[in-house]
């Protein structure tokens, strides 16, 4: 089977399973879209159906099952100009809009045929379309990462790296269980941007304009990624410093990169203008960041969603930057720089643990760098006759992470007596006993 077909089949199957799962497994809050995902989704619902960005009725629609004053209620806060507050980016909604249009049209067709289907933006097909868009975004990210890994290390190492990063990290949860959050969309944009940089090798200003447009798309998904998007400009400056000469072509490339990014980021600035009265905004407020005292140790090693504690597979990608340095020193340096930037930025956030989440979800934009580092590590093992060790390593990481995802999902669905966290024992050991506890629980049911 061609690799492209394999990727398509896997993620198509995941999309179908996601779409039918609400019919098989009850949702915690009734709606398919819950939590932060509501704030991404209302952009597309409001713009497409209401032709505005006033979220008053959108929030009310998601609150229809909640009593007044319910702490789970959405919205309530307003901006300085009196608009319903939405602190989240518009990018995921732009990616998901075509899926919503198709789902809305299908729902209208079913309703016209006498089959009950919601057509107000809160229906099953319409909400489900946003999750399907998230799964497609995850598949796009995985394919781009595979192409980058294959570019340097061949098919085997690249496939093993994608399996490790997706199956052995937080991408598994956000692809299968919560694709309506921004993280799969963010991963897709970053991976496409990185693949264009590595494989496309832009050198002329026109190509750098496209490159900048891809960077703008990344910041549309999560504007906190702007720091990582500056890395190509740092490379241009570094090359100019080494050559002791700043060429007109380099200046043109830099200007085109910035211009492309600004043009694509314009929808977010327009949304900020409508809701905040400013083209540039910090929706969470400046107090959301503590730049002087970042929680650098906690964000990596805390049992409260620490990156390494929850997803130790990332260590393979980070350690793999060492053998990658022998093959592609520039990309190893970019991987290290991206990690250090995100480590600092994520440590400065007030809720550095990322709220209720599976792992350190704000690090998921590292997936192309981690995949390349993992491919380098697996290739290094293969080159030394340790292919079996490489396979075992991948399988162990995937199995351990899959068990942990099952433990976490069981906890979220009310089985805290069977699966809980966040002590070290619960994180490291309970994942192996949760399946047996669950079987025992079912056995005891009347």
């Amino acid at each position: 089977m061609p690799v492209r077909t394999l990727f398509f089949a896997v993620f198509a199957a995941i999309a179908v399973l996601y779409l039918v799962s609400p019919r098989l497994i009850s949702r915690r809050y009734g709606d398919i879209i819950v939590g932060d995902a509501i704030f991404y989704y209302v952009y597309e619902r409001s713009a497409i159906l209401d032709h505005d960005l006033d979220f008053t009725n959108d929030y009310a629609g998601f609150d229809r099952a909640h009593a007044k004053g319910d702490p789970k209620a959405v919205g309530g806060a307003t901006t300085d100009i009196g608009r319903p507050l939405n602190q989240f980016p518009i990018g995921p909604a732009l990616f998901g809009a075509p899926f919503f249009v198709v789902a809305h049209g299908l729902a209208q067709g079913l309703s016209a045929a006498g089959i009950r289907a919601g057509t107000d933006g809160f229906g099953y097909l319409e909400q489900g379309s946003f999750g399907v868009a998230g799964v497609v975004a995850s598949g796009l990210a995985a394919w781009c990462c595979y192409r980058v890994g294959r570019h340097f290390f061949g098919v085997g190492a690249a496939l093993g790296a994608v399996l490790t990063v997706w199956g052995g990290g937080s991408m598994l949860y956000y692809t299968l269980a919560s694709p309506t959050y921004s993280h799969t969309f963010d991963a897709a944009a970053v991976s496409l941007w990185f693949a264009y940089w590595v494989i496309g090798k832009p050198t002329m200003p026109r190509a750098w304009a496209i490159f900048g447009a891809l960077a703008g798309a990344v910041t549309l998904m999560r504007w906190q990624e702007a720091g990582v998007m500056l890395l190509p400009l740092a490379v241009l400056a570094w090359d100019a410093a080494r050559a002791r000469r700043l060429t007109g072509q380099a200046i043109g490339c830099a200007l085109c990169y910035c211009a492309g990014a600004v043009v694509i980021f314009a929808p977010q600035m327009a949304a900020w203008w409508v809701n905040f009265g400013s083209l540039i905004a910090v929706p969470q407020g400046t107090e959301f960041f503590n730049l002087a005292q970042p929680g650098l140790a906690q964000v990596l090693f805390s049992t409260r969603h620490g990156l390494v504690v929850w997803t130790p597979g990332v260590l393979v990608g980070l350690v793999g930057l060492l053998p990658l340095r022998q093959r592609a020193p520039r990309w190893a340096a970019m991987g290290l720089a991206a990690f250090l930037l995100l480590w600092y930025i994520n440590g400065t956030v007030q809720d550095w643990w990322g709220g209720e989440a599976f792992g350190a979800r704000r690090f998921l934009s590292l997936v192309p760098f981690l995949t390349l580092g993992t491919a380098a590590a697996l290739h290094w093992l293969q080159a030394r006759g340790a292919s079996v060790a490489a396979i075992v390593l991948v399988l162990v990481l995937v199995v351990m992470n899959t068990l942990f995802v099952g433990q976490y999902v069981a906890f979220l669905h009310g089985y805290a007596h069977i699966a809980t966290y966040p002590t070290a024992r619960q994180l490291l050991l309970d994942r192996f006993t949760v399946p047996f506890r669950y079987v025992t629980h079912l056995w005891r049911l009347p």
Side-chain angles (χ1 to χ4, degrees), residues 295-302 305-310 339 343 363:
L296 298 181
Q298 299 97 308
V299 79
L300 293 186
F301 303 112
S302 172
H305 306 157
L307 176 67
V308 174
V309 174
W310 275 63
F339 168 70
W343 183 14
F363 281 92

Side-chain angles (χ1 to χ4, degrees), residues 157-173:
L159 281 175
V162 170
L163 180 59
T164 303
V165 173
W166 259 252
S170 296
M171 282 300 292
L172 181 66
Y173 177 80

Side-chain angles (χ1 to χ4, degrees), residues 177-417:
S178 290
T180 53
Y181 278 54
S182 67
H183 306 295
T184 56
F185 302 100
D186 182 32
V190 173
S191 299
L192 187 59
W193 167 83
F194 188 62
Y196 185 83
W197 195 7
V198 174
I199 300 174
K201 298 185 174 89
T203 56
M204 302 302 293
R206 179 179 297 179
W208 273 75
I210 298 173
F211 191 23
L214 294 174
V218 174
T219 54
L220 275 179
M221 303 304 170
R222 291 189 75 248
W223 50 74
Q224 296 90 333
E225 313 293 6
V228 176
M229 294 303 101
L230 294 176
L231 288 177
L233 299 180
V235 171
L236 285 177
W238 173 259
D239 289 344
R242 291 184 62 189
R244 297 183 179 180
R245 180 168 174 255
L246 183 60
T247 64
Q249 180 173 316
I251 295 173
C253 288
L255 292 176
C256 286
Y257 182 83
C258 294
V262 170
V263 168
I264 298 301
F265 191 67
Q268 183 63 72
M269 292 190 289
W272 280 339
W273 178 263
V274 169
N275 289 300
F276 291 89
S278 173
L279 292 177
I280 301 297
V282 182
Q284 290 88 350
T286 55
E287 68 279 359
F288 189 65
F289 300 93
N290 186 353
L291 300 178
Q293 294 180 319
L296 298 181
Q298 299 97 308
V299 79
L300 293 186
F301 303 112
S302 172
T303 56
R304 195 177 188 183
H305 306 157
L307 176 67
V308 174
V309 174
W310 275 63
T311 50
V314 300
L315 291 175
V316 179
L318 293 175
V319 172
L321 295 178
L322 294 175
L324 178 62
R325 186 173 178 271
Q326 304 302 316
R327 176 69 66 89
R330 170 158 291 184
W331 304 121
M334 292 302 100
L336 179 60
F339 168 70
L340 293 175
L341 278 169
L342 287 174
W343 183 14
Y344 174 74
I345 292 170
N346 292 333
T348 66
V349 179
Q350 190 178 65
D351 66 330
W352 52 262
W353 57 92
E356 187 56 66
F358 182 84
R361 58 191 173 109
R362 291 174 178 145
F363 281 92
L364 283 176
S365 52
L366 281 176
V367 292
F369 304 100
L370 292 176
T371 304
L372 185 54
T374 302
L378 296 179
H379 183 268
W380 185 87
L381 290 172
Q382 291 173 337
R384 283 154 183 76
S387 296
V388 173
I391 294 172
V392 170
L393 175 64
V394 172
L395 291 177
V396 167
L397 290 172
V398 170
V399 170
M400 287 182 61
N401 189 62
T402 302
L403 289 172
F404 196 17
V405 168
Q407 175 185 347
Y408 183 72
V409 171
F411 168 78
L412 290 181
H413 280 81
Y415 293 97
H417 61 292

